[in-house]
Amino acid sequence: MIKNFLIVALLACSINVFAQNKRDFQITITDPANVLDAETKSNLTASFNLQYPLFANADGYRTKRNVILEVANGETETIKAKAGEIKINSNWVKGKSLNKVNKELWAALSKNWSSYSTEKHKGYKLTFISKDPNLDPSVRKNLIDTYFEIYPTLVKTFNDKSTHDVLFVVDTAYKAVAEASGNRILFSAGYMKAHPTDIDVVTHETMHIVQGYGYSAGPVWLTEGIADYVRYKYGVDNVGSKWSLPAYNDKQSYKNSYRITARFFAWLEQNVKPGLIAMLDQQLRAHQYTEQSWVSLTGKTIDQLWDDYGKNPSVELKYSDKKAK
């Protein structure tokens, strides 16, 4: 829901300040010569509220939320913009419609990225943004191809209400591996450079989008264990990624999460109840999961199942391998 505009006009040292708060983003318009009329300021603020949150979401890690907009006719013929700063030519913006201001502001903001593209295939869309000018084109292509190969399968298998519109951002400031939030997946440029074959990071992270559990649906170890189990079962090239599930040892716990939990889930699927992980996924999404879920679905508690696993952890594992296809 769009909030009503809050206009604060301050006159000090011949500087007019126009401030607007919306979803924790703030714009301050400085106009020393007082050349912008009220309609132009309104259009600029409306455009900021429409375009800058999208830019910040796509831009990646810790994008500035407080923005200064100033008249700077000597620096731009139309609009120049980056995180935290927008500069406009007052002669260009005068009389421009909101639609034209929107288009120009977005064009200016998107110039901050090394690449920006959108692709559609069979009802699915992917927007790909890279802030890394040195991103290997083959890595970019492999990430995109993996999305279109695997994501539709995950949607159809686990949650057909998942979004068909996903955003990938390769960020030079982000130092972990990858993370999913809403419909966006953030990739570390440094990680992708060091691990260019790890394309099934896409499988793990897009599964998080499909999961869409929301808050307090279940423990983190279960969410991450499911995502890595899905990577194992549906991944397109785990061999090429040099990724595998670790052998069992008695120092492990099902709460270790990720690959350790995923191997346990593979064992459960083979030896206890085929389809169990999909059932747990459904319960988590519906916020119906409890520890009792294990008993109702398998007849045993999670701790009893783990004990059984420890006594005979043998499981037949088969990893995806693009070269073998």
Side-chain angles (χ1 to χ4, degrees), residues 134-314:
N134 299 312
L135 179 66
D136 188 329
S138 65
V139 171
R140 178 183 180 278
K141 182 179 185 302
N142 286 336
L143 293 175
I144 292 172
D145 289 349
T146 303
Y147 166 79
F148 283 111
E149 181 175 351
I150 197 63
Y151 184 64
T153 298
L154 300 185
V155 171
K156 292 173 184 177
T157 303
F158 294 98
N159 181 13
D160 60 9
K161 293 183 174 60
S162 298
T163 180
H164 287 205
D165 187 352
V166 174
L167 168 67
F168 282 7
V169 180
V170 178
D171 197 339
T172 53
Y174 180 64
K175 301 305 181 185
V177 177
E179 66 180 41
S181 177
N183 77 324
R184 183 193 73 181
I185 298 176
L186 192 63
F187 299 90
S188 164
Y191 179 82
M192 295 314 305
K193 182 178 180 180
H195 306 275
T197 63
D198 191 12
I199 58 175
D200 274 309
V201 66
V202 171
T203 306
H204 178 104
E205 296 302 334
T206 55
M207 183 56 191
H208 282 320
I209 294 177
V210 171
Q211 285 172 313
Y213 300 152
Y215 295 106
S216 303
V220 173
W221 64 262
L222 181 53
T223 299
E224 295 295 350
I226 290 174
D228 256 4
Y229 170 75
V230 165
R231 171 175 176 150
Y232 157 70
K233 185 173 181 179
Y234 295 92
V236 300
D237 192 17
N238 282 317
V239 172
S241 299
K242 299 179 181 178
W243 184 93
S244 62
L245 301 176
Y248 170 83
N249 67 65
D250 58 11
K251 293 182 180 180
Q252 293 173 350
S253 164
Y254 59 84
K255 293 182 180 181
N256 287 149
S257 191
Y258 295 102
R259 293 185 301 149
I260 290 174
T261 306
R263 189 183 191 279
F264 173 47
F265 288 171
W267 181 87
L268 289 171
E269 287 278 337
Q270 282 189 25
N271 296 283
V272 178
K273 190 179 185 68
L276 173 63
I277 304 309
M279 295 174 190
L280 291 168
D281 169 72
Q282 291 173 4
Q283 287 195 6
L284 287 161
R285 191 173 299 106
H287 287 215
Q288 295 173 349
Y289 169 83
T290 66
E291 287 193 358
Q292 187 63 27
S293 295
W294 298 95
V295 177
S296 62
L297 291 173
T298 71
K300 293 186 177 182
T301 67
I302 179 66
D303 291 306
Q304 289 172 331
L305 292 167
W306 180 260
D307 286 342
D308 291 345
Y309 172 58
K311 293 173 184 176
N312 184 17
S314 177

Side-chain angles (χ1 to χ4, degrees), residues 20-153:
Q20 165 68 34
N21 287 300
K22 182 179 185 296
R23 297 180 184 176
D24 298 325
F25 292 94
Q26 177 174 296
I27 183 174
T28 301
I29 299 178
T30 61
D31 180 16
N34 197 25
V35 297
L36 303 177
D37 58 31
E39 182 178 357
T40 299
K41 289 180 179 179
S42 179
N43 280 344
L44 287 169
T45 303
S47 181
F48 168 82
N49 287 330
L50 288 169
Q51 305 301 332
Y52 194 83
L54 296 174
F55 166 75
N57 178 59
D59 190 49
Y61 191 61
R62 292 182 178 175
T63 299
K64 294 179 180 178
R65 306 179 76 83
N66 296 324
V67 180
I68 302 296
L69 185 152
E70 63 177 315
V71 177
N73 290 2
E75 297 185 43
T76 178
E77 295 182 356
T78 55
I79 298 178
K80 184 179 180 180
K82 63 181 182 180
E85 181 182 289
I86 300 173
K87 296 184 178 183
I88 62 151
N89 186 302
S90 61
N91 296 322
W92 177 86
V93 77
K94 184 178 180 180
K96 289 293 188 298
S97 67
L98 177 59
N99 184 51
K100 289 184 178 179
V101 175
N102 279 334
K103 289 181 178 179
E104 192 65 25
L105 178 57
W106 182 256
L109 288 167
S110 63
K111 288 178 181 177
N112 290 279
W113 304 318
S114 296
S115 66
Y116 169 79
S117 64
T118 59
E119 296 186 32
K120 295 180 180 180
H121 184 63
K122 294 183 178 180
Y124 288 84
K125 178 182 177 181
L126 178 65
T127 300
F128 192 100
I129 292 169
S130 175
K131 298 177 72 176
D132 181 6
N134 299 312
L135 179 66
D136 188 329
S138 65
V139 171
R140 178 183 180 278
K141 182 179 185 302
N142 286 336
L143 293 175
I144 292 172
D145 289 349
T146 303
Y147 166 79
F148 283 111
E149 181 175 351
I150 197 63
Y151 184 64
T153 298

